[in-house]
Every structure is written in C-alpha cells, then in structure tokens.
C-alpha cells in the first residue's frame, strides 16, 4: 500500500509526529531516555516511527513537574479551566482529519471510526466546558440550631491515566477533559501499541497550554510497557488511577492502588450480548448485530460477542446474518469502501484462531468461516475474516472475551427471563441490549431483575456510547464510570463543612463541659 495515497505522511507532519520521536513530556517539553518502542501499523506492517520509553528518572521528573503545576492549576477558577478545555476542543476540530487518519493507521480501525473517535474527544470537551460552571455540592439542614452544613468538592491532584490501544485517543480525553475542569493535572500512559497517538495529542494540547501561559505539568505523557504503569499504580503522589484494558491488568492495578489506599477507576473486559426476542425487528437486529460484532474488527470493549436468539426465530436470524456477512469488505481501513480493517497485531490473530478452534472442540459449529487473509493488501498478517459460530452458553470459550470479530449464536427457549439469565451468566458486565417491540420485555430487561450490566439498551446494539451518559460496567468490568452524568465526582475529593454562626457551642450527644 502506498500510504502517501491516503495522506498519512502529511498527517504525521501536521501532528508533529516524526520518525524518531521523543517519548516523555511535561507539557511543551519532550525528552528521551529509555529504549525505543517501535510502532508498526497493522494496516501494512510498516514501521511508522519510534518512541523512547520512560525511565524511572524520567518519571520522577514528570511527577515533580505535575505536582508543582497542580498547586497553580487548582487555584484557577473552574470556568477558567473550562476555557482551556474549550480551546483544546477547537484545536481538535482543526486537527480532526489528520488525527483521525493517524488513529486509523496506527490502530487499524476504519477512517470513519477514527474521525468518530476524535469527534468523541470534541464532544467531551464541550461537555466539560459546561460542567466547569456546574461543579455543585449540597446544602443540608443541621440538627444543631444556628449551624449551616454543606458539602463541596475540591481538586484531587494528579490523575494517572492508563489507556488501551482500541480507543487510543478518546478514552484519554474522556478522563482528562473532566479532570482538568475539576482542577486536576494528568499523567497519561497510552498503550505501547499506539504510542504515536499519544505524542500527537500531547503536541496538540501543548500548543494550547503555551498560548495560555499554563505551567508545564498540567498535561504529561509517559510511554512504555507495564512497568511504567507500575510506577503510577504504586505512587502515593497519584491519588487516582484510571485504567482501561483487560480484566487481568485491572486486577493488578486495583490491588496496587488499594494497597496504598488510593482510588481507581477501572474500565475492563466486556462479553456483551444482544437478546433477540420473537417480537424483535429482524432488520434492525441484523444491522445492530453486524455492526456490533465486526466494527473495529471486534476490538471494542462494547463489541457484540453473543447473540441470544429465541428458538422460534433462530433460523431466520441466522440466515439473515450469514447473508449480511457475505457483503462485508475486508481491507485497508483508510479506504472507506471497506467495512473491516485489521486486528492490532499478530498476537491478536493468534487469540482469534484459538477461539475458533476452541468453540469447535467444545461442540460448536462454525457457520461463517473465519481465517487469516494473505496476499496483496494483507501483508501485515493482521487481517482476518469475521466469523460466526453456533455455541452453547456454558462453553468455556463463550464465557471469555476474545478481542476479535467472532460472534457466538446462542438459542433460548421460553420467556425472556431465560434469555436474561443466559446474558447475565458471565463474569463481565459492561454492555447489553435487547431487540424487542414488547414493552413488558423491554421494561423487565431494564429493571432490577433484568440486565446486570452498566449499560442496557433497547432496540440498539451494544457498541457505542453517548458522551452525556456515564460509561462503564459491573463485575469483572471493574465498576468504573467515565464521561457523562456525575462521573466528574471521581476526579474530586468530597468535603463536608459545618459553620456555627452563634455564640454557643453545642456538643455531640448532649455532652457538656463546665468551662
């Protein structure tokens, strides 16, 4: 593939991403010490650029700079901080096309999805600007006469952000836009599989910081493998760690942070299901299921993994899905005529092949054949065919999340309660959906006796989330909430205040001192 045809070199130039980039940053200053991390594109297998990893000495410099910046940043009013975020959102509008192309080329998602991810960044900036004038507390009536009691929220400090490769820029923005208006400063470790997206974002925000004379350290970048994440997780100077990734990774982070009594916000694995009721709209079901299963090549945390279909319409839905999969085009994600791009790397291909082997071993049946594509246009070895398998809910492979376009069809009988039980009978609890025109089924699905996931939808798929709603899940998904609603509260510390405006001092439990 000739990348110049799609403007990748120009995009890298605009974003300030060079062949040999400096790896760590305290804002506008980049510096380098550690060994190189090579970023290869899953699109064509070519080396894009190299980034230096963060050493322990680099990390110490960054944390000290961030700590100093926090003292100044927290003293600015929330609307002032919101103004910085507003300007950052405008910069993202300016750089939307090149950043979207870099996301597509470095991660492998379609160009339209890359643009959509940058749009999510813009949207969360808009949300955060409004939030900067709404960081509210509560006033309560005191039981003591002549007293006023209320609660307020204060800036927390340094927020450590560990993000995953599948959303290499949006998840950082979800966290950092809110953290900034809350008065926090951020230290971000992007995935070592997509470090250049982190460099590009830091370049964009650095220009905004410089234009506003904001001190270095409000936005910091570290690069490297899990060891850099360990620096952050163990550091008592970082009161909050927001980590996105696998459940295995999240448990390690949670244990380290809890051991020092810090706070963690975890967005971990998903094993998302759509229940297909006899009262569903089949066309909508197929559309939502296909997009959910093959979008981002099945590498979204909200990707559809399981389709739980009532026996009376099972064959109809299965046939429609098989026909829909025949229309999928797999190839270069920068070519907008393609529906499915590559997996992130060959290690992901191994997991994909293992899942297809395991489901057959356990007694399942492949109804849409998978396989790894090779030849012209597929030189990276990361392109695979989206596959569908008939399976049973209790299969071990069905119980686990495979980050690839593999969809399991499960059959249910009887009432929708049986389908809900199947859906809930996995360790993960991120996103869920039901396709039905039956009001009773829809309301039951959303009730306390329904889906146990953090996200529950009716007549839309499992993937995708609006900025205004809190995003996150339960059980092995970690329990964290990001983005909208009142997710901002995790980035602040709560304080209860009582003011006595009398000349008396009543003591608790009626205790009296004769002084």
């Amino acid at each position: 593939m000739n990348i110049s045809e799609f403007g990748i070199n120009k995009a890298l130039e605009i974003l300030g991403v060079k062949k040999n980039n400096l790896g760590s940053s305290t804002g506008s200053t980049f510096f380098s010490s550690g060994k190189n991390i090579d970023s290869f594109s899953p699109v064509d297998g070519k080396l894009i650029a190299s980034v230096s990893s963060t050493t322990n000495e680099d990390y110490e410099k960054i944390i000290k700079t961030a700590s100093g910046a926090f003292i100044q940043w927290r003293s600015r009013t929330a609307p002032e901080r919101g103004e910085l975020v507003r300007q950052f959102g405008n910069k993202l509008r300016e750089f939307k096309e090149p950043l979207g192309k870099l996301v597509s080329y470095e991660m492998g998602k379609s160009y339209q999805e890359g643009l959509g991810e940058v749009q999510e960044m813009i949207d969360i900036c808009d949300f955060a600007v409004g939030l900067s004038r709404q960081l509210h507390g509560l006033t309560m009536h005191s039981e003591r006469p002549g007293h006023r009691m209320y609660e307020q929220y204060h800036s927390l400090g340094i927020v450590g952000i560990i993000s995953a490769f599948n959303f290499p820029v949006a998840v950082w923005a979800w966290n950092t836009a809110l953290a900034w208006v809350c008065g926090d400063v951020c230290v971000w470790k992007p995935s070592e599989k997509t470090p250049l997206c982190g460099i590009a974002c830091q370049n964009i925000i650095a220009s905004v910081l410089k234009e506003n004379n904001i001190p270095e350290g409000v936005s910091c970048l570290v690069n490297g493998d899990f060891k850099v994440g360990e620096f952050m997780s163990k550091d008592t100077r970082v009161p909050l760690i927001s980590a996105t990734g696998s459940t295995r990774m999240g448990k390690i982070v949670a244990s380290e942070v809890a051991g020092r009594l810090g706070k963690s916000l975890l967005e971990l694995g998903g094993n998302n299901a759509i229940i297909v009721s006899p009262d569903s709209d089949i066309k909508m079901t197929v559309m939502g299921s296909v997009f959910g299963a093959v979008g981002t090549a099945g590498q979204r945390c909200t990707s559809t993994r399981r389709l739980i279909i009532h026996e009376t319409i099972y064959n109809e839905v299965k046939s429609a899905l098989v026909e829909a999969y025949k229309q999928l085009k797999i190839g270069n994600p920068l070519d907008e005529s393609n529906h499915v791009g590559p997996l992130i790397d060959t290690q992901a291909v191994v997991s994909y092949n293992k899942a297809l082997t395991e489901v057959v071993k356990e007694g399942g049946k492949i109804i849409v054949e998978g396989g790894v594509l090779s030849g012209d246009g597929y030189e990276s070895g990361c392109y695979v065919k989206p596959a569908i398998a008939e399976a049973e809910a209790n299969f071990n492979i069905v119980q686990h999340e495979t980050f690839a376009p593999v969809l399991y069809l499960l059959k249910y009988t009887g009432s929708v309660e049986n389908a809900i039980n199947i859906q809930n009978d996995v360790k993960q609890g991120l996103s869920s959906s039901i396709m039905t025109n039956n009001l009773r089924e829809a309301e039951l699905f959303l009730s306390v006796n329904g889906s146990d996931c953090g996200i529950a939808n009716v007549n839309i798929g499992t993937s995708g989330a609006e900025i205004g709603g809190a995003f996150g899940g339960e059980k092995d998904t970690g329990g964290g909430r990001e983005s909208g609603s009142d997710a901002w509260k995790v980035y602040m510390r709560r304080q209860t205040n009582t003011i006595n405006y009398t000349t008396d001092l009543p003591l608790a439990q009626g205790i009296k001192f004769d002084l």
Side-chain angles (χ1 to χ4, degrees), residues 357-420:
T357 300
E358 288 298 317
V359 73
V360 173
K361 279 185 179 179
E362 293 192 64
K365 179 183 178 182
I366 305 293
I367 61 172
V368 173
E369 293 290 337
V372 183
L373 298 171
S374 60
D376 187 30
Y378 304 123
E379 293 87 355
S380 69
C382 297
Y383 291 87
V384 301
K385 299 177 183 177
I388 301 178
E390 293 183 291
E392 297 293 332
N394 61 356
F395 284 3
N396 183 63
I397 191 63
V398 175
Q399 292 284 313
H400 289 82
E401 178 185 41
T402 300
F403 232 51
V406 179
L407 178 64
Y408 302 112
L409 303 190
L410 313 175
K411 187 184 294 184
Y412 81 94
T413 60
S415 68
V416 73
E417 284 90 345
N418 295 333
I420 293 171

Side-chain angles (χ1 to χ4, degrees), residues 417 420-421 423-424 440-453 456:
E417 284 90 345
I420 293 171
N421 289 337
Q423 180 211 274
N424 291 346
R440 189 193 70 82
E441 289 182 333
E443 290 292 344
L444 177 63
F445 180 74
L446 301 177
S447 75
V448 69
N449 298 314
S451 171
D452 64 0
C453 296

Side-chain angles (χ1 to χ4, degrees), residues 274 281-294 304 320-321 324 435 460-461 463:
I274 298 176
D281 182 311
I282 301 299
K283 182 178 179 181
M284 288 177 61
T285 295
V286 172
M287 188 180 301
S289 301
V290 172
F291 177 73
V294 308
T304 305
L321 284 169
M435 294 292 185
I460 61 172
S463 61

